[in-house]
Amino acid sequence: MSTKTTPAADTLKQITHLAAALKAPRITQAAARLAEHARDAGWTHEDYLAAVLEREVAARNASGAQLRIRASGLPAGKTLEDFDFDHQPAARTPLQALASGAWLAEHRNVVLLGPPGTGKTHLAAALAVTAARQGHRVLFATASEWVTRLSEAHQRGRLEAELARLRRYALIAVDEVGYLPFEQDAANLFFQLVSSRYEHASLILTSNLPFSSWARVFGDQVVAAAMIDRIVHHADVIALKGASYRLRDRGIDPLPSIKAEQGALD
């Protein structure tokens, strides 16, 4: 006894075949899931097609964002949604404005300054995650890790090629500027990274030190001044204040040096 298929089943098979040919298998799922609803709601053919394609695009964007995040070196679990803005209420408005991503199109920078434990790394990573979700390629590493990377490229005679390759990333995040002082060669390499991205692509930098103390980090007042000039020319500088979020329930006061750095940011 032969088994007859319904026209709807035949159409679904055809959709499955065409979706596979387009390398868009999720279209099959969306088409089947939305078909009955579209009929009941009286959708036009155009409405139905738009809804199916919208779900495919959304799924692709989500999948692409996850790939970009995994390739970025970002720490896990750092998003704007997860940040406790009650601990940094003054940062809420500027961070919400930055979440639109418009600053990336303008090749602007973001600098987060503040004592340890005030949320700089979390916010830098969260902005990078937001950028990845918006379709941008991003990379995240500490200042020391960036210098190591550039030093290795320089030793191979590939520094210019590496800087050019990095310019293809819309956003590079540089965490922990100032935690360790740089030797002169390292400072020069870091300056080249900043200079190569100036007005071409964006940076996020975090530092526990005010700009006035960067000269001792880079060992040269002139290099530090030239670097700061390029960073802040097109930048949003956000100062985070208060005690360490990590120590909030421990009853431990900040070290005197941290209090002094906090005062310099005020």
Side-chain angles (χ1 to χ4, degrees):
M1 183 176 180
S2 62
T3 302
K4 293 184 178 180
T5 59
T6 65
D10 288 339
T11 301
L12 187 57
K13 285 183 179 179
Q14 186 179 15
I15 291 173
T16 301
H17 170 73
L18 295 172
L22 290 170
K23 295 181 171 58
R26 289 173 293 252
I27 283 181
T28 303
Q29 300 170 1
R33 188 169 59 250
L34 290 173
E36 184 175 351
H37 177 71
R39 283 190 290 268
D40 293 343
W43 288 4
T44 65
H45 298 311
E46 292 84 359
D47 291 336
Y48 175 60
L49 177 60
V52 170
L53 295 179
E54 182 181 36
R55 281 154 179 79
E56 171 63 22
V57 170
R60 285 194 180 194
N61 287 343
S63 177
Q66 289 305 312
L67 289 174
R68 288 187 291 273
I69 290 169
R70 283 199 293 270
S72 68
L74 281 161
K78 307 293 186 185
T79 66
L80 289 177
E81 295 83 359
D82 295 330
F83 187 76
D84 182 6
F85 280 103
D86 290 338
H87 192 67
Q88 292 292 342
R92 188 188 302 273
T93 297
L95 265 296
Q96 287 176 340
L98 290 169
S100 71
W103 60 287
L104 293 165
E106 299 169 357
H107 308 313
R108 294 179 60 82
N109 302 321
V110 174
V111 185
L112 298 161
L113 303 176
T118 50
K120 301 183 301 297
T121 297
H122 187 133
L123 289 174
L127 286 175
V129 167
T130 301
R133 289 173 176 171
Q134 293 167 344
H136 299 289
R137 298 173 69 200
V138 304
L139 287 173
F140 184 101
T142 66
S144 296
E145 289 169 340
W146 280 116
V147 167
T148 298
R149 179 173 182 160
L150 295 174
S151 179
E152 291 172 352
H154 180 61
Q155 291 169 10
R156 298 193 308 269
R158 298 282 301 167
L159 180 59
E160 289 303 319
E162 177 68 1
L163 291 172
R165 190 181 74 82
L166 291 174
R167 278 197 299 275
R168 295 199 290 270
Y169 287 80
L171 176 61
I172 282 179
V174 183
D175 198 23
E176 299 181 352
V177 175
Y179 281 77
L180 294 173
F182 289 154
E183 299 291 340
Q184 183 175 357
D185 289 345
N188 289 335
L189 287 171
F190 193 79
F191 173 77
Q192 290 190 63
L193 174 65
V194 170
S195 183
S196 72
R197 298 183 66 79
Y198 176 60
E199 296 187 330
H200 291 285
S202 295
L203 285 165
I204 296 178
L205 300 100
T206 76
S207 179
N208 62 316
L209 298 175
F211 290 126
S212 59
S213 298
W214 281 30
R216 74 171 186 256
V217 175
F218 295 100
D220 189 305
Q221 182 71 45
V222 175
V223 170
M227 191 178 316
I228 293 167
D229 181 67
R230 285 163 175 77
I231 290 169
V232 303
H233 183 207
H234 308 293
D236 293 276
V237 180
I238 301 171
L240 305 178
K241 301 178 181 180
S244 169
Y245 183 76
R246 291 184 288 269
L247 301 180
R248 65 193 184 283
D249 298 322
R250 303 292 298 275
I252 301 174
D253 291 331
L255 296 173
S257 60
I258 295 176
K259 290 182 177 180
E261 290 160 4
Q262 175 69 79
L265 294 170
D266 290 340

